[in-house]
Amino acid sequence: MGRDVDRAVFSREDRVRYRQKVRRCLDVFALMLDDFGFDADRPMTGLEIELNLVDPAAEPAMRNEEILAAIADPLFQTELGQFNLELNANPRLISGNGFADYERDLCASLNRANERAARSDTRIVLVGILPTLNERHLVADNLSTNERYRVLNDQIVGARGEDIELDIRGVERLRTHNDSIAPEAACTSLQFHLQVAPDSFADYWNASQAIAAAQVAVGANSPFLYDRQLWAETRIALFEQATDTRPDELKTQGVRPRVWFGERWITSIFDLFEENVRYFPPLLPICESEDPVEVLHAGGVPELAELRLHNGTVYRWNRPVYDIMDGRPHLRVENRVLPAGPTVVDMLANAAFYFGLVRGMAEADRPIWSQLTFSSAEENFHAAARRGMDAVLHWPQLGDVPVTTLVLDTLLPLAASGLDGFGVAPADRDRLLGIIEQRCRTGRNGAVWQASTVWAAERHLGLDRRAALHHMLQRYAELQYTNEPVHTWPLD
């Protein structure tokens, strides 16, 4: 939900008009899917990276407006918390040297931004949850000043009607509550975009759902929150709970959560937009002047602004996207399951694994979703978030299998085949997928490195948990800018 909002109060009439407009947009979208020319000839990719700002003591730095002004680069934007930024990479093809181009541009952008931030005694850190965050940081006063975040907070908290409870049981347990969505700002993610044709969208979305567990297991990088070690990828549980508009009674009734894995395999992108309209009341009932029916009949490309805004307030782990570029509409899968970091090359290894594997799965002769139940895919996803590299997943023909074995023996060869289908340079393919392979062989991803380093600081240096977390994050920030993959980082 990246658009600006200029109002904080909505009337009953606003909500009725918006609901009618969303349904009108949905009808037009159905017509477009039947006979409209979507841009799908050259499948572009995109990356979004959410960032954290810290001060010299490794504490969160609530200075994103100041740092954005210093960076002065339109690729960087605000995010929910004042200690957050977002970097949007320029979209590109991954054929040939596309991954090498991503790496060069991302490293250059981050190094330049970090140099500007350093002038204000601030450092940029790529991590799923900033380990030094605690309750005093995640409060409404520390939301970014852009009005859209305040309005979104008011609408979510208002829809719930009571404080938002966090109850996460992992290695340790966290139980607390908050009167705002500020804890969501702790969730800093890495998001992949893949442009797909309408007739193949369902295959790519289903494949993305099926492989989400493997992605999270090998890419986990969020083991700590509020001084406690919780899940390997605590970000999953935190995001699900921090934006939950349902009080307990609605949960018991089976009302769908706004952060949602889903409940079924699909046959069309229309299924997902229809579910959005059917199950989720509007949070931001803002109507535009466009009549999508008139635009379509006149031969134009409808913006479908209300449908897109509504879609932006339903937080699927794999989100459908309708967008317009250079006057042509296109569809994308937005893969949202992974955390940021630890390094640029680690994130690009995660990207290569996702893009290659999703294509390999989508184009397989026998689709994985014809063999794996949707409930198993969801159970796999949460098992991977809890256990990371130690997760055991259920997989067709293999039964219950360690995720590292599944990745090494089954998924990496399929990912390599998929990257070949995209025309990725073999050297880039082998280098990036080799990082995923080595994480599996060493049993070390970002979450494992963080937990091991904190454990060592507590036992060998005699530090308490808070001091150990600060010590770990200082070391993490130093190693991050070497751009060496996390499985090679020393444990000291």
Side-chain angles (χ1 to χ4, degrees):
M1 202 282 295
R3 59 172 293 172
D4 288 336
V5 176
D6 58 5
R7 23 187 331 200
V9 178
F10 302 103
S11 68
R12 296 176 183 176
E13 290 77 13
D14 290 332
R15 296 184 185 280
V16 171
R17 185 166 55 250
Y18 182 82
R19 180 177 288 108
Q20 293 170 344
K21 190 72 178 290
V22 167
R23 289 173 176 169
R24 191 171 178 85
C25 288
L26 185 66
D27 292 340
V28 169
F29 187 54
L31 294 174
M32 294 177 69
L33 290 173
D34 284 340
D35 57 12
F36 209 88
F38 286 82
D39 188 6
D41 298 335
R42 304 170 74 224
M44 299 291 285
T45 67
L47 275 71
E48 298 177 50
I49 309 169
E50 294 170 352
L51 316 170
N52 291 279
L53 301 174
V54 299
D55 65 18
E59 287 280 302
M62 308 298 171
R63 308 176 69 176
N64 63 358
E65 282 194 353
E66 175 187 350
I67 302 305
L68 273 178
I71 294 172
D73 183 340
L75 295 179
F76 289 83
Q77 301 175 6
T78 59
E79 249 300 329
L80 181 60
Q82 291 184 32
F83 58 93
N84 298 142
L85 298 176
E86 180 177 276
L87 169 59
N88 293 282
N90 287 317
R92 69 196 68 204
L93 301 171
I94 55 172
S95 58
N97 296 315
F99 279 111
D101 293 340
Y102 264 132
E103 184 172 4
R104 181 188 64 249
D105 290 352
L106 288 172
C107 285
S109 293
L110 287 167
N111 287 335
R112 183 171 60 252
N114 210 39
E115 289 171 3
R116 301 287 177 87
R119 299 173 189 173
S120 299
D121 287 330
T122 303
R123 178 182 288 186
I124 293 172
V125 177
L126 304 163
V127 66
I129 293 177
L130 194 63
T132 53
L133 283 168
N134 60 37
E135 291 95 330
R136 65 186 174 86
H137 302 122
L138 295 175
V139 295
D141 286 346
N142 287 335
L143 295 176
S144 290
T145 57
N146 189 307
E147 186 64 19
R148 72 173 184 261
Y149 300 120
R150 309 283 172 167
V151 174
L152 185 64
N153 174 74
D154 292 346
Q155 294 301 305
I156 289 177
V157 173
R160 184 178 175 91
E162 58 189 47
D163 283 358
I164 295 172
E165 184 178 14
L166 303 179
D167 188 357
I168 305 174
R169 308 180 192 201
V171 177
E172 299 166 343
R173 185 180 182 184
L174 169 68
R175 189 168 188 181
T176 186
H177 59 85
N178 202 294
D179 62 0
S180 75
I181 64 169
E184 181 193 338
C187 304
T188 39
S189 66
L190 168 65
Q191 299 165 22
F192 303 134
H193 291 256
L194 178 61
Q195 185 178 328
V196 294
D199 59 358
S200 60
F201 184 94
D203 291 343
Y204 275 84
W205 188 86
N206 288 340
S208 296
Q209 293 287 98
I211 66 176
Q215 285 183 267
V216 169
V218 300
N221 194 31
S222 312
F224 293 102
L225 176 65
Y226 289 1
D227 301 345
R228 293 170 178 83
Q229 184 178 351
L230 301 170
W231 293 11
E233 189 49 39
T234 304
R235 198 183 106 265
I236 301 298
L238 177 58
F239 194 46
E240 289 177 343
Q241 296 182 24
T243 55
D244 198 339
T245 58
R246 306 167 303 161
D248 289 343
E249 293 83 0
L250 293 185
K251 294 177 187 178
T252 302
Q253 293 174 35
V255 172
R256 280 82 173 174
R258 294 198 89 98
V259 178
W260 201 29
F261 189 80
E263 60 190 18
R264 59 176 176 142
W265 305 119
I266 65 169
T267 59
S268 167
I269 187 175
F270 185 80
D271 296 345
L272 301 176
F273 281 99
E274 185 181 37
E275 285 179 348
N276 289 354
V277 175
R278 182 188 305 157
Y279 297 143
F280 298 100
L283 287 179
L284 300 169
I286 302 169
C287 288
E288 303 294 342
S289 59
E290 176 191 79
D291 184 332
V293 175
E294 290 183 0
V295 173
L296 185 65
H297 287 168
V301 180
E303 292 284 341
L304 306 183
E306 293 80 8
L307 188 69
R308 292 161 70 186
L309 177 59
H310 189 52
N311 184 53
T313 63
V314 179
Y315 304 100
R316 297 178 184 272
W317 292 112
N318 285 291
R319 175 186 279 166
V321 176
Y322 166 85
D323 206 352
I324 302 169
M325 184 67 65
D326 298 327
R328 293 192 66 187
H330 68 263
L331 307 177
R332 303 195 303 269
V333 178
E334 181 186 8
N335 178 257
R336 301 159 51 82
V337 305
L338 286 175
T343 65
V344 168
V345 75
D346 279 309
M347 293 187 293
L348 290 176
N350 292 338
F353 186 54
Y354 170 70
F355 289 132
L357 186 54
V358 75
R359 178 162 184 161
M361 287 281 185
E363 298 183 355
D365 292 335
R366 187 180 178 194
I368 187 66
W369 52 95
S370 70
Q371 308 168 63
L372 182 70
T373 66
F374 195 90
S375 60
S376 291
E378 183 174 14
E379 289 168 7
N380 283 345
F381 177 66
H382 287 100
R386 288 187 182 93
R387 302 282 294 164
M389 301 295 284
D390 293 328
V392 174
L393 307 183
H394 183 77
W395 204 253
Q397 302 179 31
L398 298 176
D400 294 337
V401 58
V403 68
T404 52
T405 301
L406 177 64
V407 171
L408 289 170
D409 295 348
T410 303
L411 301 185
L412 277 175
L414 195 56
S417 174
L419 292 178
D420 290 342
F422 278 116
V424 172
D428 288 341
R429 175 200 66 202
D430 294 344
R431 177 189 178 218
L432 295 175
L433 293 185
I435 291 171
I436 303 297
E437 177 187 358
Q438 288 305 309
R439 283 190 211 156
C440 291
R441 296 198 184 282
T442 61
R444 187 185 303 170
N445 57 13
V448 171
W449 185 89
Q450 287 190 54
S452 299
T453 302
V454 167
W455 183 90
E458 289 176 335
R459 284 153 183 80
H460 302 319
L461 300 180
L463 301 180
D464 64 20
R465 176 60 60 83
R466 286 291 295 163
L469 288 168
H470 282 74
H471 168 82
M472 179 271 287
L473 186 56
Q474 296 278 23
R475 186 70 172 129
Y476 182 106
E478 294 168 2
L479 291 167
Q480 172 187 291
Y481 282 92
T482 67
N483 201 33
E484 294 295 329
V486 71
H487 72 267
T488 68
W489 288 8
L491 294 170
D492 53 23

